[in-house]
Amino acid sequence: MKKFLLYFFAFVLICFLMPAFLTKRDKQVIAKDTKESDTMQQQTSQVNENEEYKKYGTIKLLHKKTGEVEEVKLDEYLYHVVSAEMPADFELEALKAQAVVARTYTIYKVLNKKHENADICDDSTCCQAWVSKEDRLARWEEDKKESNWLKIEQCVNETKGKIITYQNEPINAFFHANSGGTTELPVNVWGGSNFPYLQVVETAGEEGYTQYASEIELSNEELIAKLKEKYEDIQINFASQEDIKILEYTDSNRVKTIKFGNHNLSGVEARSLFGLRSTNFEIIKESDKIKFTVKGYGHGVGMSQTGADNMAKQGNNYEQIIHHFYVGVEIKEINSL
């Protein structure tokens, strides 16, 4: 009987207690290995961050409304820029392209300072748009807040350190909302000389976006009043077909010169005076009013954001998008400059 009990206890020990002990030990080993792996990944991440941003890890951001200059990490700053500049529901590859463009534009501004005590400001009319996370989240639908912000972070993080260069220098990476089918040369917008990487390129699929088409309608009196803001001696014979006439177009089919009575205006000037979305417009004259039919949104130079989104929908990645809009460029790591 004693021998039987001895065998029985040995059987229980082998079948039940030993596996439980080994399972517990395996869990402890796995937990230890996981902890060590996480620590190594964290250390690697820190090393990579230091390697990628030896020189441009932080920037000085001027908040125009308050005059405050804030020192922020580059990619943290870019979360706020990308979320302000491009809709979060655009394709991920388009958002990645925007992240690289925004990072490049930032570094270009750092190297070509415009502000005395800061590298860049948060005013889109001067530098790049920037919005706080709180304000950005407040404008999104409740069920999209978290996913949208994570998507913005992803597009910045997955392009970390990437910038666009021409002859090993960061480019002046202009971008706009919608090109109306064709991008524009910078000389036709701001004068001066052109950048070799900013050429006229065609952009397909933009007509499906709300930014593509718009109209502005002005009575003859409203038209005269707006022109008098700059030209007090303006005189227009609305009965004459020759007194309101587009005289010249740019290579991208935008208005270069337009005649209003006794004054000739540039297309850029007309866009500003009449509040048009772009210089890609035509004029329809009626007896008592003028209608501007407009294609596109923005100055038209560099990357079209809706064009980038459409390219992404067609299967192009962010590098292909960038090479389409910026001619002869390379995508490099910041530290390779």
Side-chain angles (χ1 to χ4, degrees):
M1 185 65 180
K2 289 181 180 180
K3 197 171 184 180
F4 170 77
L5 289 174
L6 182 63
Y7 285 134
F8 176 76
F9 283 124
F11 175 78
V12 170
L13 180 65
I14 292 170
C15 292
F16 297 101
L17 297 181
M18 284 296 290
F21 172 76
L22 291 173
T23 299
K24 182 177 180 181
R25 183 178 178 277
D26 288 343
K27 286 181 179 179
Q28 290 173 340
V29 171
I30 291 171
K32 181 181 178 182
D33 290 344
T34 302
K35 185 175 181 180
E36 289 177 353
S37 176
D38 289 343
T39 302
M40 289 178 66
Q41 287 178 0
Q42 185 177 5
Q43 290 172 345
T44 301
S45 175
Q46 290 171 349
V47 169
N48 288 341
E49 183 175 353
N50 291 335
E51 285 180 353
E52 287 184 17
Y53 296 119
K54 288 178 180 177
K55 192 171 183 181
Y56 304 109
T58 60
I59 62 163
K60 292 181 179 178
L61 170 64
L62 169 64
H63 296 285
K64 288 288 284 287
K65 287 184 178 180
T66 64
E68 175 195 1
V69 175
E70 178 186 10
E71 192 167 287
V72 294
K73 290 184 178 180
L74 175 59
D75 285 343
E76 179 69 29
Y77 160 72
L78 292 176
Y79 298 153
H80 301 270
V81 171
V82 175
S83 68
E85 291 284 10
M86 180 176 275
D89 60 359
F90 274 21
E91 294 292 316
L92 182 63
E93 291 301 315
L95 285 160
K96 285 183 181 180
Q98 181 67 57
V100 177
V101 167
R103 185 181 292 109
T104 305
Y105 187 84
T106 304
I107 302 304
Y108 184 89
K109 286 291 186 180
V110 171
L111 297 173
N112 300 271
K113 282 187 182 294
K114 184 175 182 178
H115 301 284
E116 185 177 351
N117 299 316
D119 298 313
I120 199 166
C121 77
D122 60 3
D123 182 357
S124 62
T125 62
C126 178
C127 294
Q128 289 185 121
W130 178 97
V131 65
S132 70
K133 183 177 180 180
E134 293 72 24
D135 287 346
R136 180 69 276 180
L137 292 176
R139 299 175 198 174
W140 284 329
E141 295 177 19
E142 189 63 38
D143 62 341
K144 294 182 179 179
K145 294 180 188 293
E146 184 178 356
S147 61
N148 280 353
W149 191 258
L150 288 174
K151 188 178 181 182
I152 297 297
E153 289 185 337
Q154 180 184 357
C155 76
V156 174
N157 295 341
E158 291 186 0
T159 60
K160 188 175 182 68
K162 301 289 186 182
I163 62 169
I164 311 165
T165 66
Y166 184 83
Q167 295 183 346
N168 211 39
E169 296 288 338
I171 71 169
N172 198 354
F174 291 110
F175 57 93
H176 58 281
N178 186 299
S179 76
T182 312
T183 66
E184 179 61 292
L185 295 174
V187 68
N188 293 326
V189 181
W190 301 291
S193 58
N194 281 319
F195 295 95
Y197 46 82
L198 295 171
Q199 299 295 325
V200 174
V201 299
E202 292 185 0
T203 310
E206 291 187 296
E207 63 276 4
Y209 295 83
T210 57
Q211 298 94 331
Y212 179 76
S214 59
E215 288 184 354
I216 292 288
E217 196 172 86
L218 299 172
S219 68
N220 293 347
E221 292 76 15
E222 289 172 330
L223 184 79
I224 289 287
K226 287 184 178 294
L227 285 165
K228 279 190 174 182
E229 292 175 7
K230 186 166 185 182
Y231 302 100
E232 292 183 2
D233 65 335
I234 190 74
Q235 293 180 0
I236 300 176
N237 179 5
F238 288 99
S240 171
Q241 293 296 316
E242 296 299 314
D243 259 28
I244 299 178
K245 183 179 180 180
I246 296 172
L247 301 177
E248 189 179 9
Y249 292 92
T250 69
D251 291 341
S252 68
N253 205 39
R254 287 170 168 79
V255 174
K256 186 172 185 178
T257 311
I258 182 170
K259 180 181 180 181
F260 287 99
N262 56 334
H263 285 280
N264 291 345
L265 281 65
S266 71
V268 173
E269 188 178 8
R271 179 195 173 199
S272 177
L273 279 175
F274 304 125
L276 309 179
R277 285 188 168 186
S278 86
T279 57
N280 189 347
F281 64 84
E282 296 292 340
I283 295 176
I284 300 172
K285 291 181 283 186
E286 299 180 7
S287 59
D288 60 346
K289 61 185 177 182
I290 301 291
K291 182 186 290 185
F292 297 89
T293 59
V294 187
K295 289 182 181 179
Y297 198 159
H299 49 62
V301 178
M303 186 182 76
S304 162
Q305 293 172 315
T306 52
D309 188 52
N310 184 68
M311 285 187 68
K313 287 177 179 177
Q314 305 309 312
N316 293 280
N317 62 33
Y318 78 91
E319 292 184 337
Q320 291 169 315
I321 293 169
I322 287 168
H323 284 295
H324 175 77
F325 288 106
Y326 305 101
V327 178
V329 300
E330 295 181 271
I331 300 171
K332 292 187 174 183
E333 296 286 340
I334 288 178
N335 278 1
S336 70
L337 299 182

